[in-house]
Every structure is written in C-alpha cells, then in structure tokens.
Amino acid sequence: MRKITTFIALAALSFTSIGCDRFLDIQPEGKVVPVNAEDYRKVLTSAYSRYPTHKSLVALRTDELSLDENASGFAYNRELAMWKDTGYDSNTTEFPWVGFYSVIFYMNQIINEGSKTMTDSPVKQQILAEAYALRAYSYFDLINLYGKQYNAATASTDKGVPLSLEIDVEAVLKPSTVQQVYDQVHSDIAKAEVLMQEQQQSAGINYRFSKISLKALQARMALYQGDWNRALDYSQQVLTIKDGLSDLNATNVAPHHYASVESILALEKAFDGSVKNNLSFAAPELISAYNKTTDKRFGLYFEKAPDRYNIIKKGDSDFKVTFRTSEMYFIKSEALLKLNRLDEAKETLLKVLKNRYTPEGYTSVQNDAASMNTTDFMNFILDERFREFAVEGHRWFDLRRANQKKITHKLGGKDFILEQNDPRYTIAYPQSAKKNNPNL
C-alpha cells in the first residue's frame, strides 16, 4: 500500500486535532491508505472501538445520577450536571463532536474510496453495509444530542447538525435541518440493507452491524420520530428473528451483557468508568422507582453504601450494549398503545416484566396493569423504561420525547433547575466546535 501526505492514518485511526478553523479537526499526515477488504475491515474495527463514549455524560443531565462533590473528577463534570452548555470553564468535559465526525470521515473513506478499490465479493458488500450503518448511527446520535427533538411539523426548519458525506478535511460546513439529517440516516440505512450479508453477528463480534441490528435502529428511530406504524413494524421484525429475554429469576447474567440472550448490538459502554468510578451514585429519584424486594433488577444494578446507593450496573467491555431485545418489546408495546391497541400493548410489556420481577411481584404488577387506562399505561411504560434501562443512555432521550419534565440537581448547597420544556433539553454545540467553525 502506498504512502501519501494528503490522507489520514486510516488503518490506525489516529484522531488528532490541529486546532485549525475547520469543521473537522483531523491531521492529514503521511500515512498508509487502505486498498483491499482486509485493510478496510481494520479501519472499521478501529472505528467501532473508538465510537464516542457519550451516554454516561448525558446521564449526568437526567434524574438518574447524583455527583459526589468530593470525587477527583467533580470539577470536570459539575457543569454538565448544571446544564451549563455555554460559558463553561476550560476544565469542563465537553460532549463529543470531533469524535463523531472522525468516525464519519472514515466511513466516508470506506464508502467513497473502498467501494472502488475493494474486489467485488460478499465481504466487500458487508464492509460497505457496515460503513453505511455506522455512519447512519453516528448521525442519529448527533442529531439527538445537538438537534431538537423530532417534530414533523417543524423538523424541516429546526436546526440540526452539519452533514459531511465526502472526503474533505478542508470543508467548512453549515448545519443541516433536523429533517435533512433524518433523511440522510434513512438513506444510509436503505443502502446498508441492500448490501448487508450477515443476519446476526455472533457473540464477540456483535459490536458489528447486521440485518437485525439495522432493524433495531429503525425501530428506535421510528420511536423517536413518533412514527408508530413503522415502530411497530420494525420492532416486530426484530422480535420475529430474536425474541429471547434474560429470566432474572433463573440467571444472574445481566440483560445488557454482550453474551446475553438479549444482545443485538454490543457497541457502546452503557455506563463508562469515567463517570461511574467514585464520581456519581444513583439519584434518589432512581432508587425510589424500584420495589427493592420484588424487582430482580435492583440487586443487579445497585449496592447499598452507608449514605447512598452505588451503581454496579457495569460499563466495561463485557457490558457493551446498544440494542437488546427488551428494548424492542418496549418499543412494540408503546407503538401498540399509540395505535389504540391497549390490551396488546399490555400483553407485550408483561412478557418482559415476567422476567424481571419475582413471581409474587409479577402477579402484583400484572394486576395493577389490568386496570390501567391508556394514560396510566403510557406512564407505566415510561416508568418501566426508567427502571429497565437505568444508566444505559436512554433516559435523557426518553425525557426529551415524552414530557421534558422539571429536574433539580443540588450542587454546592445550591439548587440548579432544568425547567419543564427548558430550551436546554437541546444540548448546545460544544464551545470548541463553534470556535473552530464560525458557521455553527
């Protein structure tokens, strides 16, 4: 393979910022350019491994976590918990920006150049499919971090994030609309579907996209867009292929373990150690949401300390989780409810809960659900999502799309408040990104 001075170290994925006034801060030094399928698989593997770890940071904005003010990392994260998205000090950890666009840059390289240099084969098709899928997921995460919650009536004018589909490190791009970004995500997924060869990835390499994880992504997208027919369709397509649930009455294997019967895509650390270790603990609102006696998840997720509950829901490599089957049941249940099929919605969600509560607890939950009307059951779904997906990165996005409730965090003896429907339910672009690109 040849060496040139105009491309990035693709095989090594050295994401290096040079601080120039450009949209994408990556240093294009003389590096090896990939050519064949083996080369591009290495690029993909590196990109997967470097996918931004951001969901733990987002959890600091929710009612899931409280910060330990005596922890060594407190100074770097306190302003995140204050929802201070502008004017924060230089020590504050920023939500990822360059990391996402770096992954996207490499996917552009695979799509635009790898498609020309790789020999035609099913392996080439699979690599290209995964590249489209990972680019789609990157933009889906970006738009939900930095764009307004999807609203069909306003999405075509709501400010989104820049779209970069070419290999151009000199480009200075302007934000696209929320609708344009979602349209691009749908387009990439459609291309990935045509090319995708693998129905499911086996444990150990299930960080890679497959046909079933594409359907799971489509189900979540439909949920966020409020497209209930598509949400029902895609979630059911996933469950037709894979519907297993981890029975917590019979096993201690956590549902979010990469080898769990529930695992669909195990790409992301659900709860990263930088936030978990001695920095945060379970917020009282989260702990009070559980029945500590009958809910089998409680003992897997938390442990009692003298003055608080620590989170033991692990975030190391064995517990990477992006999509799992229980989420598909939840999406299906909510979609059925929104389509006025209340009894079916209850039946669907209870399949999950039978595997989460003790037999006595499940009987109680089942009896409570039986008398719920549509409004009550919608609230119950959201409460169970709070419990089921604690610190897996769902809560902030559920709050955005559901009720954007008021949240209070106490830090330094002061109350910091995120008001209901607060504009800060949309995270501002990072200060460093705006400094490097005046068009943001």
Side-chain angles (χ1 to χ4, degrees), residues 60-85:
L60 293 173
R61 301 176 74 90
T62 72
D63 49 1
E64 294 177 295
L65 299 178
S66 296
L67 282 179
D68 184 344
E69 298 187 28
N70 295 314
S72 58
F74 176 70
Y76 305 106
N77 293 278
R78 63 185 181 87
E79 291 187 324
L80 298 181
M82 297 174 185
W83 306 283
K84 190 175 182 181
D85 294 338

Side-chain angles (χ1 to χ4, degrees), residues 196-244:
M196 193 71 73
Q197 304 294 302
E198 297 293 336
Q199 177 85 326
Q200 300 183 60
Q201 300 285 4
S202 58
I205 59 169
N206 55 340
Y207 61 86
R208 299 177 181 176
F209 271 95
S210 62
K211 290 181 180 180
I212 188 173
S213 56
L214 273 178
K215 295 297 183 186
L217 172 55
Q218 288 171 298
R220 187 184 291 176
M221 285 179 61
L223 176 75
Y224 284 19
Q225 290 186 275
D227 189 338
W228 304 114
N229 284 301
R230 287 166 66 97
L232 176 58
D233 180 36
Y234 287 126
S235 59
Q236 184 55 54
Q237 286 188 51
V238 174
L239 293 172
T240 298
I241 300 168
K242 184 182 178 73
D243 64 355

Side-chain angles (χ1 to χ4, degrees), residues 42-58:
K42 291 178 181 178
V43 174
L44 259 176
T45 300
S46 295
Y48 279 129
S49 71
R50 295 173 184 262
Y51 194 78
T53 302
H54 62 289
K55 290 184 175 176
S56 293
L57 299 180
V58 174

Side-chain angles (χ1 to χ4, degrees), residues 318-336:
D318 283 351
F319 293 89
K320 287 187 175 182
V321 58
T322 300
F323 301 112
R324 54 187 175 98
T325 55
S326 55
E327 182 188 356
M328 298 300 108
Y329 282 101
F330 272 90
I331 293 174
K332 180 181 177 181
S333 178
E334 187 169 342
L336 286 166

